Amino acid sequence: MAVAQSALKSVAAQALLPLGVIDIGSNSVRLVVFDEPARLPTAMFNEKVLCGIGRGLSETGALDGDGSRQALVAIRRFVTLARRMDVRSLQVVATAAVRDASNGAAFVAQIERDTGETVRILTGNEEATYSAYGVLSGIPEACGVMGDLGGGSLELVAVDGHKIGDSITLPLGPLRIANLGSYSVLKAFVDEKFAEVGWLKQWKGKALYAVGGSWRAIARVHMAQKHSPLHIIHQYTLARGEANDFARLISKQSKESLARVEGVPRRRQDSLPLAALVLRRLLKALEPKEVIFSANGLREGIAYAMLDERQRSEDPMLASCIHMAMRESRFGEHGKEIDSFIAPLFERDSPGQQRLRLAASILFDVSWRVHPDYRGEQSLGLILHAPFGNITQSERATLALAMFARYAGTVSDPAAAPAWQLLNAGEIDYALRIGLAIRLAHTLSGGVPGILNECRLKPNGNGILLEIPAQHAALDGEAVQRRMEAMAKAMNRTGEVRIVKGK
């Protein structure tokens, strides 16, 4: 599915950072400014205004007057801010409401006169593809159907890894369907639209990747109701049955009742029941295994569209870890050497565990600036809340807990509760072992690259053996012995440090 990307790929992605995107949607206008790393850039600025320019579009065929005036004020502000931030590339895009409205072209012309910026009115195909790219930017292995619910439309796209398949844009945004009639009339209308999408059933049993502010708001309400210790939307996952039950509950609520529900944003009280209705009917039509909420959508997809194939093939989580390490660590990117050093103790690791172990090794030094008594807590919060992609909540918690153990030497401290509350006993034990192994590696090497390549850590019968070459014998000491003993004990083994010749 081709997308017009000539304006986006004219120069290397790195050269366009900071990148600014002004997204003129049916319900909101938002500016996001992205900066490094290029593989999954961080939003260094993110502000939205809920204007509702698509309000009443289905009845009048035109953009809402008050909403349009409010949007123009916001856009002028955003363009001014982007220029003051020295944004190298500013993409101004408009979606369904502007595309479909009789006065959409006049609205765009006014923006261009006021700001001097060119506005791209995305086709339905482009809007769908960029949204799918956004999901793939943060979940590269995504396989199923991406659904992006905006105020005016719902984009559905089949995704399978880096491949994008069938797509369609449907007039099912909450602002578009708000005045169509009773609940039963709305349900029939939505079902009719989904029945026309013949390819949906091909993805039965796969995942639904939910994008868009209203659906993310549903995820936030669910988190609040479940008292989740981690309020991170990206890759928050619900089984289909649970998602259906919760969507049914939300869809039947009035604005007044939603106002009393914990976690419901005040400005989503009107649209949330309609968004829940659309979600529930989509679950019936698609029958996915699960719903995976994505924090990334159209704006992140625009950034992803700039990348070449080599950059797209990078793991976004590891790319973010490397960028964080280069920015925060004393010793630069030393993680791969640490991972190679401790790897013999984790020979049975699954590919997913190997990936987490490498990430923890890369991040081994990110909290060194903090007072020693608080480095564990600092690193735990940093990793739990970092803008990583391609990481589940349990993986994020495992990584954060490993970093806590690397600094604190334990995982039982109450300060680590936000992580271990999300894990089972085996995952907690694995995080402890990884953290203590990295702790030993750092103590032995002092963080200096090259030393660990000349030492060897390996299983030795019922024990663990650390071999230090004779030329580095002075590196052995009380601190190394203590770290070795603690790590071996966590692995239910004995530890031995041996000075060897000929290394």
Side-chain angles (χ1 to χ4, degrees):
M1 186 163 48
V3 177
Q5 298 172 12
S6 58
L8 297 177
K9 286 195 171 182
S10 57
V11 291
Q14 198 74 29
L16 291 178
L17 296 175
L19 163 70
V21 179
I22 296 178
D23 176 8
I24 307 168
S26 302
N27 192 43
S28 66
V29 176
R30 184 188 295 263
L31 168 65
V32 180
V33 178
F34 296 107
D35 208 346
E36 297 181 318
R39 174 56 187 83
L40 188 63
T42 300
M44 58 178 284
F45 182 86
N46 189 338
E47 181 180 311
K48 72 176 177 181
V49 178
L50 293 174
C51 304
I53 64 172
R55 189 182 300 110
L57 180 62
S58 59
E59 293 80 38
T60 68
L63 299 177
D64 181 79
D66 290 340
S68 298
R69 285 186 286 274
Q70 189 177 1
L72 285 170
V73 172
I75 293 166
R76 287 194 291 266
R77 166 179 161 78
F78 289 161
V79 169
T80 300
L81 284 174
R83 289 171 179 165
R84 297 291 292 183
M85 292 176 186
D86 294 325
V87 166
R88 294 183 182 179
S89 174
L90 181 61
Q91 304 288 327
V92 186
V93 297
T95 55
V98 175
R99 181 172 64 240
D100 297 340
S102 59
N103 57 346
F107 177 64
V108 165
Q110 184 64 56
I111 296 171
E112 294 180 339
R113 285 193 297 271
D114 288 356
T115 67
E117 297 290 338
T118 299
V119 179
R120 286 203 302 149
I121 303 177
L122 300 181
T123 66
N125 185 54
E126 288 176 321
E127 185 176 352
T129 302
Y130 282 133
S131 294
Y133 276 168
V135 170
L136 293 176
S137 72
I139 314 175
E141 72 284 1
C143 181
V145 174
M146 185 284 307
D148 185 357
L149 183 68
S153 64
L154 170 66
E155 279 68 49
L156 297 175
V157 185
V159 293
D160 186 1
H162 290 290
K163 299 177 182 177
I164 295 178
D166 295 308
S167 72
I168 192 168
T169 297
L170 300 172
L172 297 179
L175 294 180
R176 187 73 67 91
I177 66 175
N179 298 315
L180 291 184
S182 66
Y183 182 90
S184 59
V185 170
L186 282 171
K187 186 171 72 169
F189 178 78
V190 174
D191 285 347
E192 178 185 347
K193 293 301 178 184
F194 287 143
E196 296 171 359
V197 187
W199 54 265
L200 271 185
K201 287 295 184 181
Q202 300 173 22
W203 297 92
K204 178 181 177 179
K206 303 297 184 180
L208 169 63
Y209 298 90
V211 178
S214 293
W215 280 353
R216 292 180 189 128
I218 291 175
R220 289 190 180 94
V221 177
H222 188 272
M223 288 178 180
Q225 296 298 304
K226 295 295 184 179
H227 303 290
S228 172
L230 182 62
H231 284 207
I232 299 289
I233 292 293
H234 192 65
Q235 290 185 246
Y236 186 68
T237 302
L238 297 177
R240 183 177 84 221
E242 185 172 11
N244 183 68
D245 291 345
F246 195 69
R248 180 193 295 116
L249 176 65
I250 296 296
S251 68
K252 297 295 184 67
Q253 302 300 308
S254 66
K255 179 178 179 180
E256 291 73 23
S257 61
L258 280 177
R260 298 190 293 270
V261 175
E262 181 183 0
V264 176
R266 182 179 60 83
R267 301 196 71 173
R268 294 284 183 188
Q269 291 168 5
D270 287 324
S271 63
L272 214 57
L274 295 170
L277 168 64
V278 175
L279 176 59
R280 187 180 170 212
R281 305 321 294 172
L282 180 56
L283 292 175
K284 182 177 185 297
L286 179 60
E287 299 183 53
K289 175 184 177 183
E290 58 194 0
V291 179
I292 301 175
F293 293 89
S294 171
N296 296 351
L298 182 143
R299 295 171 293 274
E300 291 77 14
I302 288 175
Y304 182 80
M306 298 179 182
L307 304 179
D308 57 33
E309 290 304 317
R310 179 191 62 79
Q311 290 173 309
R312 291 184 186 183
S313 68
E314 295 177 3
D315 186 321
M317 189 267 284
L318 292 177
S320 294
C321 289
I322 291 171
H323 178 71
M324 185 183 295
M326 294 298 292
R327 188 181 68 240
E328 302 293 343
S329 299
R330 289 167 289 184
F331 308 105
E333 210 282 276
H334 181 213
K336 293 179 181 178
E337 185 179 338
I338 291 177
D339 183 58
S340 295
F341 174 70
I342 67 175
L345 303 183
F346 301 93
E347 291 180 340
R348 296 183 180 180
D349 276 7
S350 66
Q353 288 175 320
Q354 293 173 21
R355 179 171 168 267
L356 285 181
R357 192 186 69 224
L358 174 58
S361 298
I362 291 169
L363 296 170
F364 83 103
D365 197 43
V366 293
S367 294
W368 72 273
R369 298 178 189 274
V370 178
H371 186 284
D373 290 350
Y374 297 98
R375 287 175 183 167
E377 189 173 350
Q378 168 74 11
S379 61
L380 182 121
L382 181 66
I383 303 308
L384 273 182
H385 307 138
F388 293 149
N390 202 24
I391 186 169
T392 66
Q393 294 217 341
S394 62
E395 289 173 334
R396 181 185 289 271
T398 301
L399 180 57
L401 196 59
M403 292 303 300
F404 185 90
R406 173 262 180 273
Y407 284 109
T410 181
V411 294
S412 60
D413 192 303
W420 47 251
Q421 287 176 357
L422 293 164
L423 303 173
N424 60 40
E427 292 166 332
I428 292 172
D429 184 59
Y430 181 74
L432 174 63
R433 295 180 180 196
I434 290 293
L436 293 180
I438 294 173
R439 186 175 172 90
L440 169 65
H442 175 66
T443 300
L444 176 63
S445 67
V448 179
I451 292 176
L452 296 179
N453 288 337
E454 300 179 31
C455 301
R456 190 176 183 191
L457 186 65
K458 61 181 181 180
N460 184 34
N462 293 324
I464 298 173
L465 177 63
L466 170 59
E467 293 182 341
I468 302 176
Q471 65 267 31
H472 293 317
L475 295 178
D476 188 18
E478 189 268 341
V480 170
Q481 295 285 343
R482 282 191 292 108
R483 301 288 190 253
M484 181 67 178
E485 180 181 347
M487 182 198 69
K489 182 178 179 181
M491 296 183 176
N492 299 315
R493 299 192 180 196
T494 59
E496 179 187 356
V497 179
R498 185 183 301 171
I499 306 300
V500 297
K501 296 181 180 180
K503 289 282 183 177

